[in-house]
Amino acid sequence: MAEAKEADRLPDHVDHYESSDQGDFNENEAPGDSHEKILIASDSYEDLNYDDIAVSSFGKPYSGSIIDIVRHNSCSDEKEADASSLNLINESSAESSNEDQNEGQVKDLSADKVPEDVGEGMKLEIRENEDFGPEWRQKKKHLFIFSSAGKPIYSRHGSEDKLVTIMGVMQALVSFVQVSGDNMRCIIAGDHKFIFLNRDQIVLVGVSSAGDSSTQIVLQLSYVYNQIISVLTYTSLHKIFKQRRNYDLRRLLSGAEKFIDNLVNMMDTEPGFLLGAIRCLPLDAPVREMIEQTIVLNAKVKDLVFAVMLANNQLISLVRMKKYFLSAMDLHLIINLVNASESFKTAESWTPICLPKFDSSGFLQAHISYLDENSQTCLLLLSVDREAFFTLSECKNKIQERLLKYNSLRAISDSLATTSYSIQQCGITDLRHFLYKSKSIAQYTSPELEAPYLTPADQERLFGLYHYLHHRIHSPARPLKILYYVGEQETLLGWMTQGFELYTVFGPLVTKTNAIHAINKLLRWIKKEEDQLFILNSVTF
Amino acid sequence: MAQREVKLCLLGDSGVGKSSIVVRFVTDTFRQSLESTIGASFMTKRLNVDGTTYVFQIWDTAGQEKYRSLAPMYYRGSAAAIIVYDVTRETSFQSVKMWIQELKKNGSPNIVLAIAGNKNDLDDLREIDQKDAKEYADQIGAIFVETSALTALNVPELFMSIAKKLPSEDPFGGRTFDRKTINVRRSQAEKSSSSCCGGSQS
């Protein structure tokens, strides 16, 4: 019955699904799919891991509608061999069969307990640093950066000067392992993971008890490393340490700590970093087109490579030079730059920025300005010409004028007034929240955080659930296509296909069938709204 | 009224108050915890001095070392430079001397130099004697004032004395700018008057 009703409501352009008995969403019809290259998806998450961790390849990925996949799996439940060749785990997995054996058995992975006793390794080191009390120790995530000569560069909590002994110990471990021709990667001590990322002359160490996986921490460290490159360029970083191995990099990074601080904080709350995808500000397609055209018409100047318009960490439009592409990772750094700085709000700025994926050897010059009085809509014009400030400033004035005239800035602020959209709009009961990433365009969408995820603690827990789901699906040892997981407070369903990644959070009482119906419905809803939620056309000068 | 465009840049160590001085001058406000500037920011401000309107185009540069190499981009075309130091920090005054040397070497020959000892309100913590700084400024022929962006002491005065000290016949920026504006206005005036007169009389 329910299926028939759903089928009735199908939007026109997916009419042909009515003929199918379930009204299933075929995974090949990814919403927000585009053949045009808008953003380059960051390095594949799996590749990000240390090169030589083999990603075990399973058989040919099974594709089709989700119902088919699940059915196929249920049939082959007894035949273990078959199931594993499907790259797909439904209820039970070899590594954690105890946690999700069946729907009735529940493990509360979300329990938010602050570890009372800290991991062994941590204790060891802390004894040497009486300065750092229990508060410091209980921080869930630490980040340390030091040079290969052992000079402290950055610490997320506490001053790096006082942490010089801890960093010394870490440095010693790194070089001890290095002597034997190997690489230090990871120490696991109790709840704590210590992840090492050794990049040229600097070492980044992430310590986490928040439950994120090793690969996820490596990803975070890579972002931080790229942030440093963004400030200095790889070339100059390399040169500095080549000249003086024991150089104190803090001298050059002074003033840039806030970018690292802001980046690590954002990574704790913004799913875009985890997904390697950008969130777009929902706008009616004609409005967005109007903005894009305005930029194309008024900023067609020599040497301008990218024009990026942002509001509240969301992308409004991206116009690029024909030959060049912006990668999602670089765009994240641009978003971080804007998000971390108040100073762009006071005046037009002209600042060098290196985009590591674009070109790690040199700077682009960015003209940064806000277009409205409330400092919400930020325009960045990135040029290779260091003298282009006044030309670009003129472009900005023209763009601003025209956008005001056609009320586009108004449309932007209206869209911003509602942080995103409500989950209610999707019209799916029991669905609490979701993340949907279209892989081809490296963009994602998700609804506003609503009850029961209103307090920071609950939001952190939700984010933890997504981390878990993401980790299980992308597990290097055993990647999954679909994961259905029943927790104490919610049920999770993740689905990964060639075209998209979908992570959904349901109430705890949803049944598997209902959840699957719900995501079919959700995908159709996203498909219907794709013009609003995503940028599907690549606009060039 | 005559109008004149003045390109000006502020240089000096990080945290001495360059942005605070500019913000005080342009918007007459003060923010206790202004963020450090990233790269450089640009603002304009009109100021009337002796019947001439000076349009200051101000480049407020970042003081951090990593932006050091960008400085020539800003001071090269400037008609004036304000080098700011913090009266409570000896090292920032040492940097002033370095900047002056660099400007004498690479800046335009007629550049008007001004030295501003900021944070004059923090007299208790003073490390640089006003007399010494003044002596140094006189020696190199620079304008000298002690300012306070917090209390607004001497901030407009600083820009006024720069305006007064600009070479009267600026062979580059000033004249071309004047001619441009006059041309536009004159042609408009001519057009409208001729068409209007012609129309009514014939």
Side-chain angles (χ1 to χ4, degrees):
Chain A
M1 287 305 278
E3 287 98 68
K5 215 170 110 202
E6 260 172 44
D8 284 342
R9 272 197 240 143
L10 280 178
D12 296 343
H13 57 281
V14 283
D15 255 352
H16 51 284
Y17 286 114
E18 271 179 302
S19 55
S20 105
D21 60 334
Q22 303 278 355
D24 289 338
F25 198 92
N26 191 296
E27 68 157 75
N28 298 324
E29 294 280 313
D33 195 20
S34 172
H35 298 297
E36 290 188 44
K37 229 176 183 178
I38 293 134
L39 279 172
I40 305 178
S42 308
D43 294 9
S44 132
Y45 176 79
E46 282 80 7
D47 293 347
L48 219 154
N49 214 334
Y50 300 102
D51 312 320
D52 48 349
I53 288 187
V55 179
S56 45
S57 60
F58 287 77
K60 178 173 152 274
Y62 188 86
S63 63
S65 76
I66 186 164
I67 282 275
D68 292 341
I69 300 170
V70 172
R71 273 201 195 134
H72 193 106
N73 183 53
S74 329
C75 303
S76 56
D77 256 354
E78 292 89 59
K79 295 177 266 170
E80 247 317 295
D82 261 34
S84 67
S85 76
L86 276 176
N87 214 0
L88 155 77
I89 295 185
N90 186 9
E91 278 184 346
S92 56
S93 86
E95 44 181 310
S96 56
S97 48
N98 59 326
E99 25 178 86
D100 40 24
Q101 194 83 50
N102 57 53
E103 287 175 41
Q105 190 180 335
V106 164
K107 185 219 169 192
D108 185 14
L109 81 130
S110 41
D112 196 18
K113 47 180 188 249
V114 177
E116 270 165 45
D117 69 14
V118 189
E120 299 273 318
M122 205 68 175
K123 261 187 201 155
L124 246 172
E125 285 171 5
I126 278 155
R127 235 170 263 141
E128 300 166 24
N129 274 272
E130 298 301 336
D131 283 337
F132 295 91
E135 207 185 311
W136 184 84
R137 261 179 275 174
Q138 289 201 344
K139 297 277 184 206
K140 281 197 169 162
K141 297 186 77 165
H142 284 272
L143 168 66
F144 307 99
I145 308 173
F146 48 89
S147 71
S148 55
K151 283 234 169 160
I153 296 172
Y154 173 87
S155 162
R156 183 176 183 183
H157 307 289
S159 108
E160 62 278 352
D161 269 334
K162 292 187 181 155
L163 289 164
V164 69
T165 18
I166 278 198
M167 299 207 199
V169 172
M170 292 179 183
Q171 210 304 316
L173 290 170
V174 169
S175 37
F176 179 77
V177 176
Q178 230 161 19
V179 166
S180 52
D182 215 333
N183 240 326
M184 178 71 131
R185 284 182 189 159
C186 178
I187 302 175
I188 295 179
D191 286 339
H192 284 76
K193 290 195 183 78
F194 295 69
I195 308 293
F196 294 75
L197 183 66
N198 196 344
R199 281 282 155 93
D200 308 305
Q201 285 85 2
I202 60 177
V203 182
L204 301 98
V205 183
V207 181
S208 172
S209 59
D212 21 11
S213 75
S214 310
T215 324
Q216 285 164 351
I217 301 171
V218 173
L219 176 72
Q220 291 157 12
L221 295 177
S222 307
Y223 267 112
V224 174
Y225 176 72
N226 278 0
Q227 177 61 64
I228 294 174
I229 297 294
S230 172
V231 174
L232 299 175
T233 76
Y234 175 76
T235 318
S236 65
L237 183 71
H238 191 75
K239 210 170 95 193
I240 290 160
F241 282 112
K242 210 174 163 191
Q243 279 167 0
R244 276 176 55 198
R245 225 177 80 82
N246 62 350
Y247 186 83
D248 186 353
L249 198 64
R250 283 179 300 170
R251 268 182 67 184
L252 278 180
L253 283 179
S254 77
E257 303 92 344
K258 69 175 176 215
F259 298 129
I260 304 178
D261 289 337
N262 196 70
L263 179 69
V264 287
N265 289 335
M266 263 174 110
M267 284 195 292
D268 284 350
T269 54
E270 277 279 329
F273 293 90
L274 176 66
L275 298 174
I278 301 294
R279 187 206 296 262
C280 295
L281 183 74
L283 279 178
D284 286 337
V287 175
R288 199 183 312 270
E289 207 170 292
M290 154 79 206
I291 295 171
E292 283 161 351
Q293 285 315 312
T294 305
I295 296 176
V296 172
L297 287 175
N298 294 296
K300 207 179 172 98
V301 294
K302 211 173 126 257
D303 293 333
L304 181 60
V305 192
F306 299 115
V308 181
M309 202 188 280
L310 301 171
N312 190 21
N313 301 334
Q314 301 170 77
L315 183 65
I316 296 172
S317 78
L318 165 66
V319 184
R320 57 178 179 82
M321 208 185 239
K322 266 199 189 70
K323 277 177 290 178
Y324 298 106
F325 298 93
L326 191 59
S327 98
M329 207 166 190
D330 284 344
L331 190 47
H332 275 304
L333 295 180
I334 294 177
I335 290 173
N336 183 48
L337 171 76
V338 173
N339 185 268
S341 337
E342 284 293 308
S343 69
F344 299 135
K345 293 182 179 170
T346 40
E348 284 174 61
S349 296
W350 187 232
T351 183
I353 175 173
C354 168
L355 300 176
K357 295 271 169 195
F358 177 71
D359 181 354
S360 64
S361 68
F363 285 115
L364 288 173
Q365 231 9 84
H367 177 281
I368 307 174
S369 57
Y370 280 89
L371 299 178
D372 52 349
E373 279 170 9
N374 304 334
S375 299
Q376 287 182 314
T377 312
C378 182
L379 177 71
L380 296 104
L381 302 170
L382 293 109
S383 167
V384 286
D385 181 3
R386 278 168 55 149
E387 312 284 336
F389 177 84
F390 291 101
T391 322
L392 296 180
S393 180
E394 225 167 86
C395 295
K396 174 243 163 188
N397 287 336
K398 281 193 239 160
I399 291 169
Q400 188 173 23
E401 217 170 88
R402 217 176 112 99
L403 292 184
L404 274 172
K405 199 169 143 197
Y406 291 96
N407 266 331
S408 306
L409 290 177
R410 184 64 192 280
I412 293 170
S413 67
D414 284 351
S415 176
L416 281 170
T418 52
T419 342
S420 187
Y421 48 90
S422 163
I423 187 89
Q424 311 281 338
Q425 277 170 258
C426 315
I428 299 166
T429 45
D430 246 2
L431 180 64
R432 289 186 178 173
H433 198 261
F434 70 88
L435 303 176
Y436 172 88
K437 172 191 173 185
S438 166
K439 287 186 185 172
S440 59
I441 53 173
Q443 294 167 31
Y444 83 98
T445 182
S446 73
E448 276 177 59
L449 290 163
E450 287 170 83
Y453 306 111
L454 292 175
T455 67
D458 282 323
Q459 291 175 358
E460 195 185 317
R461 202 171 55 81
L462 176 69
F463 205 53
L465 294 174
Y466 281 131
H467 265 100
Y468 174 77
L469 200 54
H470 178 270
H471 161 60
R472 289 290 304 276
I473 284 183
H474 291 268
S475 156
R478 192 170 187 184
L480 308 178
K481 253 182 91 66
I482 294 176
L483 178 68
Y484 183 76
Y485 176 88
V486 181
E488 191 174 66
Q489 301 181 47
E490 42 269 290
T491 298
L492 313 176
L493 179 57
W495 186 16
M496 166 133 125
T497 72
Q498 285 289 320
F500 64 82
E501 292 173 27
L502 176 65
Y503 306 89
T504 52
V505 175
F506 290 92
L509 300 175
V510 74
T511 64
K512 202 193 294 170
T513 328
N514 284 347
I516 288 169
H517 283 320
I519 66 168
N520 279 323
K521 203 171 163 191
L522 173 64
L523 287 167
R524 278 198 296 272
W525 182 83
I526 299 172
K527 182 81 189 168
K528 195 173 74 158
E529 303 288 327
E530 64 178 5
D531 284 343
Q532 264 222 331
L533 301 177
F534 303 110
I535 299 178
L536 298 169
N537 302 313
S538 179
V539 187
T540 56
F541 287 115
Chain B
M1 192 160 65
Q3 189 169 320
R4 191 165 165 187
E5 202 172 71
V6 184
K7 288 202 170 116
L8 181 149
C9 70
L10 282 93
L11 303 164
D13 271 5
S14 176
V16 294
K18 297 179 291 299
S19 302
S20 293
I21 290 178
V22 177
V23 169
R24 170 59 80 186
F25 177 56
V26 174
T27 64
D28 200 17
T29 51
F30 179 79
R31 264 199 291 174
Q32 197 57 251
S33 52
L34 202 64
E35 267 196 7
S36 58
T37 308
I38 300 152
S41 66
F42 181 77
M43 282 192 246
T44 54
K45 168 82 175 176
R46 293 164 167 273
L47 185 71
N48 289 324
V49 183
D50 303 336
T52 306
T53 304
Y54 290 87
V55 183
F56 282 101
Q57 301 191 331
I58 306 164
W59 274 115
D60 172 22
T61 67
Q64 286 140 12
E65 187 169 327
K66 62 175 176 287
Y67 298 118
R68 185 73 183 70
S69 58
L70 296 174
M73 200 158 94
Y74 305 109
Y75 67 66
R76 230 185 292 123
S78 292
I82 302 174
I83 299 109
V84 185
Y85 69 93
D86 175 349
V87 295
T88 68
R89 240 165 62 206
E90 164 76 30
T91 50
S92 70
F93 187 66
Q94 295 311 316
S95 300
V96 171
K97 297 181 176 166
M98 182 214 60
W99 280 115
I100 295 285
Q101 272 173 11
E102 181 166 340
L103 287 168
K104 293 250 165 188
K105 211 167 94 192
N106 302 326
S108 81
N110 315 336
I111 193 165
V112 174
L113 298 174
I115 297 174
N118 195 34
K119 307 196 188 176
N120 163 278
D121 47 289
L122 300 174
D123 210 35
D124 308 347
L125 304 169
R126 179 185 284 279
E127 281 183 11
I128 302 292
D129 201 21
Q130 184 163 356
K131 214 176 72 202
D132 299 345
K134 174 89 176 102
E135 225 162 67
Y136 172 72
D138 286 346
Q139 199 185 322
I140 58 156
I143 296 166
F144 174 79
V145 278
E146 279 205 350
T147 56
S148 166
L150 175 70
T151 64
L153 174 82
N154 282 339
V155 173
E157 288 78 3
L158 168 66
F159 288 85
M160 257 183 247
S161 39
I162 290 173
K164 284 181 188 155
K165 209 182 163 188
L166 286 166
S168 52
E169 272 299 306
D170 187 353
F172 302 108
R175 206 178 60 192
T176 49
F177 183 78
D178 277 349
R179 193 169 52 201
K180 217 193 269 167
T181 45
I182 289 164
N183 271 352
V184 170
R185 281 183 194 154
R186 194 177 286 158
S187 63
Q188 270 174 352
E190 278 166 6
K191 260 187 212 159
S192 61
S193 68
S194 66
S195 70
C196 164
C197 298
S200 65
Q201 277 173 2
S202 62

